[in-house]
């Protein structure tokens, strides 16, 4: 059987999830930690490929011995998280471990993922949120947030999201199903939450930039629907910086 790990990490000091030579990445850190704990080279397969500076509150990987489709260990499952955490940098934490069937795939078996984007809407920067939220100094009112939610509603459902994909991306299909999309403001923090069965490259960050355009009145709420229908990236908003993006939840079908 494979080992399924759920972890969280602060992405500020990593060049994304996937191994990139000698650059610091989450996958490289996991490779080193699992090799040390299980005394063998392991294949680490992730549920997503987060970019440099992107964070995760919930990220899933499977671990199996390299060249095999399973992992054998005498270590009690409940002890594995702490045993790995002492071998990992402080900005990665394994939260749980469980064995799953050999045919389980952490990426392709996902039912849906939820991403959160955090915007710090204060007039001056907050050093404690540096690298953890986008600073957007133009004040947005509660009415502005209402408008943003009206715009976000056009995203819900099954659509071609190519207008919200980074130019030049190569994918077989740009159709995704958005389960929900909402915007909340609590004090100076604006939280944009999006859940879908899959996301295109930079999709959440481009949607965030577009919804901020709605908030400041540059785009009407119904304009989000027009942009979606256009399939034209140039009509959407800016690509918000990576620092505010969090993979927040990974959900698998019941029984997975």
């Amino acid at each position: 059987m494979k080992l399924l790990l759920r972890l969280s990490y602060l992405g500020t000091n990593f060049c994304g999830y996937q191994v990139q030579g000698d650059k610091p990445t989450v996958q490289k850190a996991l490779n080193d930690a699992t090799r040390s704990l299980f005394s063998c080279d392991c294949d680490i397969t992730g549920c997503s490929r987060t970019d440099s500076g992107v964070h995760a509150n919930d990220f899933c990987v499977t671990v199996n011995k390299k060249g095999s489709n399973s992992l054998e260990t005498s270590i009690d499952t409940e002890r594995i998280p702490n045993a790995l955490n002492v071998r990992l940098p402080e900005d990665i934490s394994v939260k749980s471990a469980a064995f799953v069937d050999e045919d389980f795939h952490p990426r392709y078996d996902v039912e849906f993922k939820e991403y959160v984007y955090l915007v710090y809407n204060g007039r001056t920067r907050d050093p404690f949120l540096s690298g953890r939220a986008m600073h957007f100094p133009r004040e947005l009112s509660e009415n502005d947030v209402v408008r943003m939610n009206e715009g976000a509603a056009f995203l819900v459902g099954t659509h071609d999201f190519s207008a919200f994909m980074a130019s030049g991306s190569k994918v077989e299909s740009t159709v995704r199903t958005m389960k929900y999309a909402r915007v909340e403001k609590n004090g100076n923090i604006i939280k944009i939450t999006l859940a879908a069965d899959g996301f295109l490259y930079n999709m959440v960050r481009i949607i965030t930039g577009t919804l901020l355009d709605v908030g400041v009145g540059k785009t009407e709420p119904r304009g989000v629907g027009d942009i979606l229908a256009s399939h034209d990236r140039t009509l959407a908003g800016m690509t918000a910086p990576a620092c505010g993006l969090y993979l927040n939840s990974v959900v698998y079908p019941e029984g997975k």
Side-chain angles (χ1 to χ4, degrees):
M1 300 184 77
K2 293 179 180 177
L3 182 65
L4 174 67
L5 304 177
R6 283 188 179 265
L7 53 131
S8 58
Y9 58 83
L10 183 66
T12 306
N13 295 322
F14 294 107
C15 298
Y17 165 74
Q18 197 168 7
V19 167
Q20 300 180 48
D22 291 331
K23 293 181 180 179
T25 66
V26 176
Q27 189 179 37
K28 184 177 185 302
L30 290 170
N31 283 340
D32 294 341
T34 54
R35 183 188 305 112
S36 171
L37 179 61
F38 300 120
S39 301
C40 65
D41 288 329
C42 296
D43 285 324
I44 312 291
T45 305
C47 65
S48 184
R49 298 177 182 177
T50 57
D51 289 339
S52 179
V54 174
H55 318 294
N57 292 319
D58 186 30
F59 193 95
C60 297
V61 302
T62 53
V63 182
N64 51 276
K65 184 178 179 180
K66 188 174 288 293
S68 172
N69 203 31
S70 63
L71 178 74
E72 295 183 5
T73 179
S74 61
I75 304 171
D76 291 340
T77 308
E78 60 269 20
R79 293 180 54 207
I80 290 176
N82 282 337
L84 285 171
N85 286 338
V86 298
R87 293 167 167 83
L88 287 166
E90 291 187 352
D91 36 14
I92 303 176
S93 177
V94 176
K95 301 184 293 182
S96 68
F99 281 97
V100 294
D101 292 339
E102 292 182 6
D103 63 354
F104 177 87
H105 196 288
R107 182 179 179 188
Y108 301 132
D109 287 346
V110 168
E111 182 176 345
F112 71 92
K113 299 174 187 175
E114 180 185 274
Y115 277 91
V116 164
Y117 195 95
L118 296 183
V119 178
Y120 173 60
N121 194 213
R123 185 170 297 177
T124 58
R125 68 177 183 269
D126 184 339
F128 296 102
L129 293 176
S130 177
R132 303 188 186 196
M134 172 190 177
H135 182 208
F136 191 76
R138 182 169 174 177
E139 184 178 0
L140 296 174
S141 68
E142 291 298 333
N143 285 336
D144 295 330
V145 173
V146 169
R147 285 167 46 85
M148 292 170 73
N149 272 302
E150 291 172 355
F154 287 93
L155 302 171
V156 178
T158 302
H159 307 286
D160 182 336
F161 281 91
S162 53
F164 299 101
M165 177 181 70
S167 300
S169 300
K170 296 181 180 180
V171 293
E172 290 184 3
S173 173
T174 52
V175 175
R176 299 291 186 271
T177 298
M178 186 76 70
K179 291 177 65 67
Y180 51 83
R182 59 177 178 263
V183 185
E184 305 163 88
K185 186 175 185 184
N186 184 6
N188 285 331
I189 298 295
I190 294 171
K191 182 169 75 171
I192 297 170
T193 305
L194 304 171
D197 60 356
F199 289 85
L200 303 170
Y201 187 52
N202 283 350
M203 180 170 155
V204 178
R205 294 163 61 185
I206 296 169
I207 288 174
T208 295
T210 305
L211 292 178
L212 287 172
D213 282 348
V214 174
V216 300
K218 182 178 178 180
T219 301
E220 290 297 316
R222 65 178 179 273
V224 176
D226 295 336
I227 294 168
L228 184 65
S230 76
H231 307 158
D232 186 350
R233 168 66 185 96
T234 65
L235 299 180
M238 67 171 180
T239 302
C243 62
L245 182 59
Y246 297 75
L247 177 54
N248 197 51
S249 180
V250 182
V251 177
Y252 295 99
E254 188 174 353
K256 287 288 188 180

